[in-house]
mmCIF file of all heavy atoms in Angstrom:
data_model
loop_
_atom_site.group_PDB
_atom_site.id
_atom_site.type_symbol
_atom_site.label_atom_id
_atom_site.label_comp_id
_atom_site.label_asym_id
_atom_site.label_seq_id
_atom_site.Cartn_x
_atom_site.Cartn_y
_atom_site.Cartn_z
ATOM 1 N N GLY A 162 84.692 122.269 87.060
ATOM 2 C CA GLY A 162 85.312 123.400 86.366
ATOM 3 C C GLY A 162 85.411 123.167 84.876
ATOM 4 O O GLY A 162 85.207 124.087 84.076
ATOM 5 N N GLU A 163 85.722 121.930 84.470
ATOM 6 C CA GLU A 163 85.764 121.614 83.042
ATOM 7 C C GLU A 163 84.385 121.785 82.412
ATOM 8 O O GLU A 163 84.266 122.323 81.316
ATOM 9 C CB GLU A 163 86.248 120.182 82.821
ATOM 10 C CG GLU A 163 87.730 120.001 82.985
ATOM 11 C CD GLU A 163 88.159 118.570 82.728
ATOM 12 O OE1 GLU A 163 87.292 117.710 82.459
ATOM 13 O OE2 GLU A 163 89.369 118.314 82.777
ATOM 14 N N ASP A 164 83.344 121.335 83.106
ATOM 15 C CA ASP A 164 81.983 121.491 82.586
ATOM 16 C C ASP A 164 81.620 122.964 82.434
ATOM 17 O O ASP A 164 81.018 123.366 81.440
ATOM 18 C CB ASP A 164 80.967 120.801 83.500
ATOM 19 C CG ASP A 164 81.034 119.295 83.415
ATOM 20 O OD1 ASP A 164 81.614 118.780 82.434
ATOM 21 O OD2 ASP A 164 80.499 118.635 84.324
ATOM 22 N N LEU A 165 81.983 123.778 83.421
ATOM 23 C CA LEU A 165 81.699 125.208 83.366
ATOM 24 C C LEU A 165 82.452 125.864 82.220
ATOM 25 O O LEU A 165 81.897 126.690 81.493
ATOM 26 C CB LEU A 165 82.066 125.866 84.694
ATOM 27 C CG LEU A 165 81.769 127.354 84.809
ATOM 28 C CD1 LEU A 165 80.266 127.603 84.697
ATOM 29 C CD2 LEU A 165 82.283 127.882 86.132
ATOM 30 N N MET A 166 83.704 125.486 82.016
ATOM 31 C CA MET A 166 84.507 126.055 80.936
ATOM 32 C C MET A 166 83.906 125.694 79.572
ATOM 33 O O MET A 166 83.832 126.535 78.677
ATOM 34 C CB MET A 166 85.944 125.546 81.026
ATOM 35 C CG MET A 166 86.878 126.162 80.000
ATOM 36 S SD MET A 166 88.569 125.589 80.155
ATOM 37 C CE MET A 166 88.389 123.877 79.722
ATOM 38 N N ILE A 167 83.459 124.469 79.437
ATOM 39 C CA ILE A 167 82.875 124.038 78.164
ATOM 40 C C ILE A 167 81.580 124.802 77.887
ATOM 41 O O ILE A 167 81.331 125.237 76.765
ATOM 42 C CB ILE A 167 82.631 122.518 78.176
ATOM 43 C CG1 ILE A 167 83.962 121.787 78.095
ATOM 44 C CG2 ILE A 167 81.731 122.093 77.028
ATOM 45 C CD1 ILE A 167 83.854 120.297 78.335
ATOM 46 N N SER A 168 80.766 124.990 78.924
ATOM 47 C CA SER A 168 79.483 125.661 78.713
ATOM 48 C C SER A 168 79.645 127.152 78.433
ATOM 49 O O SER A 168 78.812 127.753 77.768
ATOM 50 C CB SER A 168 78.571 125.460 79.917
ATOM 51 O OG SER A 168 79.092 126.110 81.056
ATOM 52 N N THR A 169 80.730 127.772 78.909
ATOM 53 C CA THR A 169 80.926 129.205 78.677
ATOM 54 C C THR A 169 81.755 129.508 77.440
ATOM 55 O O THR A 169 81.793 130.644 77.004
ATOM 56 C CB THR A 169 81.593 129.863 79.903
ATOM 57 O OG1 THR A 169 82.843 129.234 80.156
ATOM 58 C CG2 THR A 169 80.693 129.775 81.115
ATOM 59 N N HIS A 170 82.411 128.517 76.880
ATOM 60 C CA HIS A 170 83.225 128.714 75.678
ATOM 61 C C HIS A 170 82.712 127.790 74.571
ATOM 62 O O HIS A 170 83.104 126.633 74.500
ATOM 63 C CB HIS A 170 84.696 128.405 75.966
ATOM 64 C CG HIS A 170 85.327 129.348 76.915
ATOM 65 N ND1 HIS A 170 85.304 129.149 78.270
ATOM 66 C CD2 HIS A 170 85.983 130.524 76.710
ATOM 67 C CE1 HIS A 170 85.931 130.150 78.862
ATOM 68 N NE2 HIS A 170 86.346 130.997 77.944
ATOM 69 N N PRO A 171 81.849 128.309 73.696
ATOM 70 C CA PRO A 171 81.253 127.460 72.648
ATOM 71 C C PRO A 171 82.274 126.802 71.723
ATOM 72 O O PRO A 171 82.041 125.710 71.230
ATOM 73 C CB PRO A 171 80.376 128.423 71.863
ATOM 74 C CG PRO A 171 80.187 129.602 72.736
ATOM 75 C CD PRO A 171 81.365 129.662 73.653
ATOM 76 N N GLN A 172 83.413 127.422 71.485
ATOM 77 C CA GLN A 172 84.399 126.828 70.585
ATOM 78 C C GLN A 172 85.032 125.575 71.174
ATOM 79 O O GLN A 172 85.624 124.783 70.474
ATOM 80 C CB GLN A 172 85.478 127.843 70.201
ATOM 81 C CG GLN A 172 86.416 128.253 71.304
ATOM 82 C CD GLN A 172 85.918 129.431 72.120
ATOM 83 O OE1 GLN A 172 84.740 129.757 72.101
ATOM 84 N NE2 GLN A 172 86.815 130.071 72.855
ATOM 85 N N ARG A 173 84.874 125.346 72.479
ATOM 86 C CA ARG A 173 85.461 124.164 73.109
ATOM 87 C C ARG A 173 84.460 123.024 73.264
ATOM 88 O O ARG A 173 84.768 122.005 73.856
ATOM 89 C CB ARG A 173 86.016 124.535 74.474
ATOM 90 C CG ARG A 173 87.175 125.498 74.364
ATOM 91 C CD ARG A 173 87.821 125.693 75.677
ATOM 92 N NE ARG A 173 88.905 126.667 75.533
ATOM 93 C CZ ARG A 173 89.785 126.908 76.450
ATOM 94 N NH1 ARG A 173 89.737 126.267 77.576
ATOM 95 N NH2 ARG A 173 90.722 127.796 76.250
ATOM 96 N N GLN A 174 83.268 123.182 72.733
ATOM 97 C CA GLN A 174 82.256 122.150 72.909
ATOM 98 C C GLN A 174 82.575 120.866 72.152
ATOM 99 O O GLN A 174 82.027 119.816 72.474
ATOM 100 C CB GLN A 174 80.876 122.676 72.517
ATOM 101 C CG GLN A 174 80.341 123.669 73.531
ATOM 102 C CD GLN A 174 78.945 124.154 73.182
ATOM 103 O OE1 GLN A 174 78.449 123.852 72.115
ATOM 104 N NE2 GLN A 174 78.356 124.908 74.069
#
Side-chain angles (χ1 to χ4, degrees):
E163 283 181 358
D164 288 343
L165 183 63
M166 184 178 66
I167 288 170
S168 66
T169 59
H170 294 89
Q172 69 272 18
R173 294 188 182 191
Q174 288 182 352

